Amino acid sequence: AQSVTQLGSHVSVSEGALVLLRCNYSSSVPPYLFWYVQYPNQGLQLLLKYTTGATLVKGINGFEAEFKKSETSFHLTKPSAHMSDAAEYFCAVSGDKLIFGTGTRLQVFP
Amino acid sequence: GAVVSQHPSRVICKSGTSVKIECRSLDFQATTMFWYRQFPKQSLMLMATSNEGSKATYEQGVEKDKFLINHASLTLSTLTVTSAHPEDSSFYICSARDSAGTNEKLFFGSGTQLSVL
């Protein structure tokens, strides 16, 4: 069985500040891990994914995430937030099906 | 790149009617498609896994007779909400799995906002 937990349903940062969105997973097999972004009334867009290999994964729009097996974490970061980053972010873990976390709404203040 | 087309993007219907949502993989063959439902300000909940040429696998608590899924071809899966009621109003999203090659990918449609009056 697999599950994913996103810590913090809301995160607020100032423009230019560091973005950190937390995700912890549980998996009985080596996991595939994903971060998706969703803008209002739209589908999901893949930001980045970890399958195997390098544990630091770089994605689109300047986002990156690091797979830490010892901590069962896959936190999403961006060095400098932009107003356009405001959206809902979902962490997901994949086995035979993709299971989503509850999401984190990112607000960016000017 | 690969694209998944979901149609319609928005539909309003009367209570008691049925609504069909289509999910198409445009440039790859998808043997497996997934249907998700998302309530406002909540996460995506997997409803069912649709496999081409066979019956869909529904998640616990999802009514098979209410949410009919058909995956008749490698590029098309449909979700029909039968006898819709206001509580069925939600955002429905499909995804399609591209298993070609060694790097499996999952692509999402843009979603369908269903409003039942």
Side-chain angles (χ1 to χ4, degrees):
Chain A
Q2 294 164 305
S3 66
V4 62
T5 302
Q6 289 184 244
L7 302 175
S9 58
H10 288 83
V11 170
S12 298
V13 300
S14 298
E15 192 172 20
L18 171 71
V19 175
L20 171 60
L21 305 182
R22 299 179 185 273
C23 173
N24 288 88
Y25 70 90
S26 173
S27 178
S28 56
V29 298
Y32 287 6
L33 295 159
F34 305 79
W35 275 99
Y36 287 89
V37 60
Q38 185 181 31
Y39 297 98
N41 296 315
Q42 294 187 27
L44 289 95
Q45 180 179 6
L46 179 66
L47 279 177
L48 49 81
K49 66 178 180 181
Y50 168 80
T51 53
T52 57
T55 56
L56 181 61
V57 181
K58 295 186 182 299
I60 63 172
N61 300 339
F63 284 94
E64 61 182 36
E66 186 171 9
F67 170 64
K68 291 186 177 180
K69 185 178 179 180
S70 61
E71 299 178 8
T72 61
S73 69
F74 191 58
H75 302 331
L76 180 71
T77 60
K78 182 174 180 177
S80 177
H82 192 273
M83 295 295 289
S84 61
D85 294 327
E88 188 86 18
Y89 291 81
F90 293 96
C91 182
V93 61
S94 175
D96 56 342
K97 50 193 176 185
L98 192 62
I99 303 299
F100 287 87
T102 50
T104 298
R105 180 167 297 278
L106 176 65
Q107 289 184 305
V108 182
F109 294 101
Chain B
V3 175
V4 172
S5 174
Q6 187 173 342
H7 179 79
S9 59
R10 182 178 294 272
V11 58
I12 301 173
C13 69
K14 293 182 178 180
S15 184
T17 61
S18 295
V19 174
K20 179 184 286 187
I21 303 170
E22 294 187 348
C23 182
R24 294 180 184 272
S25 56
L26 297 185
D27 57 0
F28 66 96
Q29 294 183 330
T31 55
T32 304
M33 291 187 176
F34 303 91
W35 287 95
Y36 292 85
R37 181 175 182 178
Q38 185 180 31
F39 292 101
K41 299 182 180 180
Q42 294 188 31
S43 187
L44 286 78
M45 300 301 298
L46 180 64
M47 298 175 65
T49 302
S50 169
N51 295 297
E52 187 268 336
S54 64
K55 291 183 178 180
T57 302
Y58 290 82
E59 296 299 303
Q60 189 173 9
V62 178
E63 298 177 60
K64 301 179 182 180
D65 294 333
K66 181 162 193 62
F67 298 101
L68 300 180
I69 291 173
N70 183 280
H71 194 159
S73 78
L74 287 172
T75 59
L76 174 65
S77 176
T78 61
L79 168 67
T80 301
V81 183
T82 62
S83 186
H85 290 282
E87 59 264 30
D88 298 325
S89 298
S90 189
F91 193 60
Y92 294 87
I93 301 178
C94 73
S95 67
R97 175 182 281 167
D98 182 0
S99 300
T102 58
N103 192 13
E104 182 177 286
K105 298 179 181 178
L106 194 64
F107 299 93
F108 285 83
S110 56
T112 299
Q113 182 65 54
L114 171 63
S115 300
V116 184
L117 304 179

